[in-house]
Amino acid sequence: DADVTQTPRNRITKTGKRIMLECSQTKGHDRMYWYRQDPGLGLRLIYYSFDVKDINKGEISDGYSVSRQAQAKFSLSLESAIPNQTALYFCATSDLSEREGYNEQFFGPGTRLTVL
Amino acid sequence: AQKVTQAQTEISVVEKEDVTLDCVYETRDTTYYLFWYKQPPSGELVFLIRRNSFDEQNEISGRYSWNFQKSTSSFNFTITASQVVDSAVYFCALSGPIWRTGGGNKLTFGTGTQLKVEL
């Protein structure tokens, strides 16, 4: 079974609808991240959470909100979806313990979201 | 602020050719980490390598090799004898140390290079 799972894997929705993308992990990691990928722009950080009570905005948080329901779950919500939020969304996790000053991020398989 | 530049948007080669993907980075951190990821057409991100800023040794893994040069802030990736299966988007990424305030463990990605390997 995959360590980082994302649901749904694909979603088509209409402008104005509320959408929730879910991420679950079995790695026991404290840190979780949401990234967005657009063609020609690479991946950009939306939100990140270092533990259940610590949530931080990334570089492109406008139009998004998140919820860290438990250590293993980190959800991304689009309160009122718009077409320019059409993108590939990735969840990632990393450990909190310090090893060599960096902890590898493990990515989920991605959710392809289309807003019509 | 951190920045990663992948100037090559798309590269096309014929199978068995060697190809180098360029990556130039900017950071104020004295300790930092560089990465390469592969994204095949199926969409998932595949981790290829991590390099610490204090380790400038080049690395070779099979047909893949990486050239890290702090003097030019570059971390280039070479595929030797390319194959069709190498066709993918390749991302270079940068992170600061986890102890830096403001979430040093965040990854900054380049815009990616689309590699097409044809028969």
Side-chain angles (χ1 to χ4, degrees):
Chain A
D1 287 340
D3 295 319
V4 184
T5 57
Q6 293 183 233
T7 55
R9 294 293 312 280
N10 288 282
R11 182 73 183 268
I12 300 174
T13 190
K14 294 182 179 180
T15 297
K17 293 291 187 181
R18 184 178 188 274
I19 294 296
M20 179 180 286
L21 309 183
E22 299 186 343
C23 177
S24 295
Q25 51 114 346
T26 58
K27 300 186 77 67
H29 288 170
D30 293 297
R31 299 183 174 198
M32 299 186 74
Y33 309 78
W34 275 105
Y35 292 89
R36 164 180 173 160
Q37 182 185 359
D38 297 277
L41 293 179
L43 279 77
R44 293 178 292 166
L45 184 63
I46 306 173
Y47 271 96
Y48 60 102
S49 170
F50 285 172
D51 64 41
V52 175
K53 297 179 182 177
D54 181 13
I55 293 178
N56 305 277
K57 293 182 177 180
E59 59 180 306
I60 55 163
S61 59
D62 287 349
Y64 301 94
S65 62
V66 291
S67 172
R68 185 80 184 267
Q69 302 95 322
Q71 186 203 38
K73 296 183 181 296
F74 192 36
S75 300
L76 177 71
S77 293
L78 288 67
E79 296 302 325
S80 180
I82 56 176
N84 76 1
Q85 290 177 313
T86 293
L88 182 58
Y89 291 85
F90 285 100
C91 174
T93 74
S94 71
D95 202 353
L96 180 61
S97 63
E98 184 175 325
R99 289 188 221 103
E100 299 181 11
Y102 181 81
N103 294 311
E104 181 181 346
Q105 289 191 23
F106 295 85
F107 285 84
T111 293
R112 194 168 295 278
L113 176 66
T114 302
V115 183
L116 301 175
Chain B
Q2 297 180 326
K3 185 178 179 181
V4 176
T5 301
Q6 294 180 257
Q8 303 152 308
T9 305
E10 185 173 319
I11 301 175
S12 290
V13 298
V14 176
E15 202 175 37
K16 297 184 184 177
E17 286 185 5
D18 298 346
V19 58
T20 295
L21 309 182
D22 297 333
C23 173
V24 174
Y25 63 91
E26 296 175 28
T27 180
R28 294 182 198 153
D29 291 314
T30 54
T31 297
Y32 52 90
Y33 304 84
L34 294 160
F35 307 80
W36 276 95
Y37 287 87
K38 175 182 179 179
Q39 187 177 44
S42 51
E44 75 273 21
L45 284 170
V46 178
F47 168 80
L48 295 177
I49 191 172
R50 182 186 82 206
R51 173 61 69 213
N52 306 332
S53 57
F54 44 86
D55 180 5
E56 288 193 70
Q57 260 192 330
N58 292 328
E59 183 155 340
I60 298 174
S61 176
R63 295 184 297 107
Y64 295 172
S65 62
W66 291 269
N67 184 342
F68 175 34
Q69 294 201 344
K70 286 179 80 169
S71 60
T72 57
S73 298
S74 64
F75 186 44
N76 297 336
F77 173 31
T78 297
I79 302 175
T80 302
S82 60
Q83 300 176 1
V84 172
V85 294
D86 296 326
S87 297
V89 180
Y90 291 86
F91 291 99
C92 181
L94 168 69
S95 173
I98 62 171
W99 58 77
R100 175 160 59 73
T101 56
N105 205 39
K106 295 176 292 181
L107 282 168
T108 298
F109 284 83
T111 52
T113 297
Q114 170 84 59
L115 175 64
K116 295 183 178 179
V117 182
E118 300 167 336
L119 292 171

